[in-house]
Every structure is written in C-alpha cells, then in structure tokens.
C-alpha cells in the first residue's frame, strides 16, 4: 500500500505547523473533587484480556490491575501493592511487605499467596514476555506469612523493581487462569466489565478500592478504536481525555480551558533492517550504511515533532543517565549525505534501479516520509502500510527489508534493550536481532550493581547495534495527553500508564457529568 505524498510539502507543512508551539503549563484551580460521571478516554489499546500475555498494549490494563511497584514521574520506583521492601546486601533477595486491606474486585482481601500465584504463573506459563529474562534468573519464591513475599534471584538483577511495575497481581480465581484469562479480577480503581476488542472497554468504579475516597468517577469508557481524529472528538465532547499527535497539539493548546499533559519519558523513532532473515543486498552492513545516509534526521524529527524533535543516535534522550554525549557526537548519520550513500552503493556493485526494497510500517505519515527519503536513492520500493496488528504480523514474517517505526516510554532502560535480544519479547520492530554478544552485554548490565559499570555495559551493547546497523535512530520526542475543561486532577506520568500510586485516573474527576 502506498500513499501519494510530496516529501518536501510534508516536511515544510509539519515544520511550519509545529514551530513555535508553546504548551500551557498544567495548572488547575484547586477545588473539592466532585464524585460521579463516566469519563470517555482514548489513549492506548488493549490486545488481550490476559494481561500477563500482553505484547505492548498495556496502558488500559493498568487501571484494572495493579503491581507491586509504581513508576514515579522521574522514572524512579514507588511502593504500590507492596507497601515496602528490603534488598539483601548482595542484591539477590527481595523481601516485600504486602499492603494491608487491599481488596480484589470480588471483595476478597489480597495476600502474599496472590503474589506467589502471579509470580509463578508469569515464570512458568508466560514465554517471551517483558519479564521472561527476569524470571529466568529467579532462584525461588517464599511466603513466610500472609503479609510477606520473598523473591530470591540467582544473581543481582538491577531492573527488577522497575520491571515489577508491570507484573500485575490478578486474582487466581479469574476465569481462564489456568490457560488464558478471559475476565481479569484485579485490585485497580476500575473493573473489567464489558470489552469489545478494537471498539471499547467499559470499566465501572471499584467501590472497595484501597486508596480512601478514590476513584471519583463512576466509570471510564475506553475508546479502543483507531480513531485518527481524536482532536475533533475531543472538541466535540465525544472524548474527554485523548492521546494527541504532535501536529494536533498547537490547535488544542490554544483552546480556553483545555490542558496538555506531557509524558516524562520520550518516544524514540528509528528505522530497522530485517535482522532475522535479511535479503541480499541488505544483509551487507555497507549497504545498510548507504541506505542510512538517506535518512535526513533533522527533517524527519521536524516532521514528527516540530522544534521539539530531538535528533540523536541514542536509545534515550539527553538528560537520561544512559545517554552518551560522545557517542551522540560521533553519529555518522547526523546529517543527510546522498552523495556518500550513492558512492557506497557503487562500490558494492548495487544498482538501486534494479533492486527491490520492501518497507513495512504502520499507517502513519512519518513512515511515508521515511519511504520518500529512501526513494531518493532510486530503489524499487514496495511500501506495505498496515494497522497495528497487521503490521506486527507482517513484521513477524520477516519478509521485508526496512521498517520505519517508533517505540514509546518504558519503565526501565532494560525494556528497550530486551526487545533487541535474541529471545526478546515482540522483537519485530527491530528486525528480530540474533546476536549472542549483544545478549551477553545486556545481561552483564542487568547483573551489575554498580551504576556506572552497568551503564558501560549497556553502551557497549548499543555501540554494537550502531556498528552493525541493526536499527538506526532518528531521534526522540515527547508524547502528550490532552483533556477537556471539565476534566480535573489528571496528569501524565513517566510512561503511558493512566494509573499510578500518586496520579492518573483514580485522581481524576469532572466538574460536570
């Protein structure tokens, strides 16, 4: 599938439309929260009712189920269903104190036995998920009493507390527990009631929620459709909180009473080569290098995010502990260089006019911009643009050459690296890398208790990816929610989670139903 788009027109329109955007600071008049109302919300999807088996669509699930830990606005860890914890001096034993008087949606009190059941389910029945690598390092679990849960690791595992922010505690009596959970019973502020895949989830208030007085809303109606006009629905009042594309921010920000809520972490944009089953000539590093000189990073990130786009070759943005300035400054592809690209292709004996190049992407405009950039080299391009599930399936067939993609905020840096590991979960956006040395370096980082040494291992792994052209980063931008004037108390967090121990939908209320 192709879109007839003029590359220069796209870039100029995006740059002029987003330039100079000044987002209002989030400020709402303090008032006593009003109870009641059904909030209409559209940000993120839901790909399964068995939340342990998710493939990336996790934001909606997080108001239904909660986890031992929660990610703070700065990316740190806060207690959630675990009220507190201690870690042994050697970094291998984690002892969690279970928060008392937390009730599941069926009104049963949660205990350490529920922690044990969920940890064991994830360890024994969930393969390829976010926590697969962590569970391989587990030596055992213990429940000394109903309020204490112990995790024993074979060796230190630095990201564990962050990763546990996505190990949901689901009541084992949930329907389908032994196979595929069809109706999850969680502890969150809202309950799983009526789910129509790709349409909506209706989630009424959990009356016995453990945070006193919360939630304020009667229910949240999650819009799960692929609605590309969320800004129109927001203005009309059909939706009240939405995730908003960068090119829509300026118009919404100018509306009286509307609020923009940025996430604290960034989304990174890149294009990946097929690393699992590469087809000639794109199995050659030099050819991949040549193609990558056609990526005009400044224009690309301007199209995506206007003046807020960050150009880099890093997996994280400047200011992050794992960002490396020297590596950033060595970026061979910081600037467009079509002449060098063509020279390398000639040296490799490649005639683009007779060379097919298959691109798989989502149905978004930035993917078409990437295609137009590569088209400058003269390749015979077939562009297959699909919806989210279709793209995931097609990428998983590894019958393609290049994929321009993006990946959003994550609770820990490891959750970016793990998807490029040989046994990583949902690795298709990065072409299914199979590199034992990359795996070794990443696992060495995970096991390292010294922060600086851990950072060095991660950076060695990333340099390996750069050198072999597994994926080429264009840059980063922030993501945003937008809300209508009647919405109060909502705030964006570090990731797309709409529910956290200290913010999100449990704290949200409306001035009118």
């Amino acid at each position: 599938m192709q879109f007839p788009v003029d590359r220069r027109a796209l870039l100029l329109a995006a740059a002029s439309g987003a330039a100079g955007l000044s987002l209002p600071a989030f400020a709402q008049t303090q008032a006593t929260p009003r109870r009641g109302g059904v909030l209409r919300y559209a940000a993120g999807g839901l790909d399964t009712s068995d939340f342990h088996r998710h493939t990336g669509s996790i934001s909606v699930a997080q108001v239904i189920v909660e986890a031992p830990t929660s990610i703070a606005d700065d990316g740190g860890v806060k207690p959630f269903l675990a009220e507190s914890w201690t870690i042994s001096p050697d970094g291998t034993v984690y002892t969690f104190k279970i928060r008392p008087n937390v009730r599941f949606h069926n009104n049963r009190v949660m205990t350490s036995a529920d922690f044990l059941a969920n940890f064991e389910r994830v360890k024994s029945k969930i393969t390829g998920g976010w926590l697969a690598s962590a569970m391989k390092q587990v030596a055992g679990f213990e429940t000394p009493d109903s309020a204490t849960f112990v995790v024993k690791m074979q060796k230190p595992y630095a990201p564990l507390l962050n990763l546990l922010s996505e190990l949901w505690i689901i009541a084992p009596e949930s329907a389908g527990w032994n196979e595929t959970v069809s109706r999850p019973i969680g502890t969150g502020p809202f309950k799983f009631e009526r789910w129509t895949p790709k349409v909506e989830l209706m989630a009424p208030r959990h009356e016995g929620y453990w945070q006193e007085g919360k939630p304020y809303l009667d229910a949240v109606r999650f819009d799960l459709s692929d609605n590309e006009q969320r800004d129109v629905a927001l203005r009309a009042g059909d939706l009240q909180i939405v995730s908003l594309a960068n090119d829509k921010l300026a118009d919404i920000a100018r509306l009286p009473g509307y609020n923009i809520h940025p996430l604290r972490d960034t989304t990174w944009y890149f294009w990946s080569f097929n690393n699992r089953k590469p087809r000639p000539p794109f199995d050659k590093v030099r050819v991949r290098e040549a193609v990558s000189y056609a990526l005009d990073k400044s224009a690309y990130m301007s199209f995506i995010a206007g003046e807020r786009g960050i150009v880099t070759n890093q997996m994280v943005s400047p200011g992050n502990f794992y960002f490396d300035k020297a590596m950033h400054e060595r970026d061979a592809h910081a600037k467009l260089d079509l002449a060098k690209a063509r020279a390398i292709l000639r040296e490799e004996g490649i005639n683009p006019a007779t060379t097919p190049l298959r691109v798989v992407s989502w149905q978004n405009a930035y993917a078409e911009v990437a295609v137009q950039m590569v088209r400058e080299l003269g390749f015979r391009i077939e562009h297959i643009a699909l919806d989210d599930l279709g793209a995931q399936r097609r990428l998983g067939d590894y019958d393609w050459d290049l994929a321009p993609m993006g990946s959003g905020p994550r609770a820990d840096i490891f959750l970016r690296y793990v998807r490029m590991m040989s046994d990583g979960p949902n690795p298709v956006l990065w072409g299914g890398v199979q590199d034992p040395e990359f795996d070794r370096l990443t696992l060495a980082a995970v096991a390292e208790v010294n922060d600086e040494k851990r950072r060095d291992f991660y950076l060695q792994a990333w340099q390996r990816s750069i050198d072999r052209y597994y994926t080429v980063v264009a840059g980063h931008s922030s993501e945003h929610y937008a809300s209508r004037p009647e919405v109060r108390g909502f705030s964006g967090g570090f990731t797309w989670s709409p529910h956290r121990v200290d913010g999100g939908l449990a704290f949200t209320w409306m001035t009118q139903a």
Side-chain angles (χ1 to χ4, degrees), residues 49-53 64-68 81 98 104 108 110-126 131 135 138 141 143 149 151 164 166-174 177 181 184-187:
S49 57
D50 191 338
F51 302 148
H52 290 157
R53 301 183 189 277
I64 311 296
V65 290
E66 296 173 318
L81 293 184
I98 310 301
F104 286 106
R108 182 175 65 77
M110 179 190 71
T111 71
S112 61
D114 297 302
F115 270 51
L116 177 62
N118 280 268
F119 275 70
E120 287 187 332
R121 184 175 194 260
V122 171
K123 178 174 173 57
S124 63
K125 293 193 174 183
I126 308 302
L131 288 153
M135 291 298 114
V138 170
F141 307 118
T143 54
F149 179 64
V151 178
L164 292 186
E166 296 182 9
L167 198 157
W168 327 120
I169 304 302
I170 304 171
E173 58 266 34
S174 298
W177 174 265
V181 173
I185 300 171
T187 63

Side-chain angles (χ1 to χ4, degrees), residues 101-105 107-110 186-188 206 208-210:
N101 302 316
V102 173
R103 293 184 179 273
F104 286 106
H105 297 153
N107 206 38
R108 182 175 65 77
V109 174
M110 179 190 71
T187 63
H206 174 25
Y209 187 54
W210 60 271

Side-chain angles (χ1 to χ4, degrees), residues 113 257 288 308 328 395 440 492:
R288 295 177 179 217
R308 293 166 293 106
H328 164 83
L395 290 168
R440 186 192 70 78

Side-chain angles (χ1 to χ4, degrees), residues 157-160 163 314-316 320-324 327 412-418 421 438-448 450-466:
Y157 196 85
L160 183 65
L163 298 191
Q314 304 281 289
M315 187 183 279
V316 295
N320 188 292
F321 176 71
Y322 295 101
F323 181 85
D324 186 77
M327 192 182 293
D412 188 83
I413 186 67
F414 175 69
L415 292 179
R416 293 188 171 178
Y417 277 87
V418 70
M421 294 179 67
F438 183 94
D439 299 344
R440 186 192 70 78
L441 290 166
T442 300
L443 291 176
V446 165
E448 180 54 64
N450 180 277
D451 291 345
E452 291 294 339
K453 290 180 180 179
R454 181 167 64 254
R455 178 179 182 272
D456 185 59
F457 279 124
Y458 274 135
L459 289 174
Q460 287 182 57
W462 186 241
Q463 186 64 59
R464 188 171 179 86
S465 173
I466 289 174

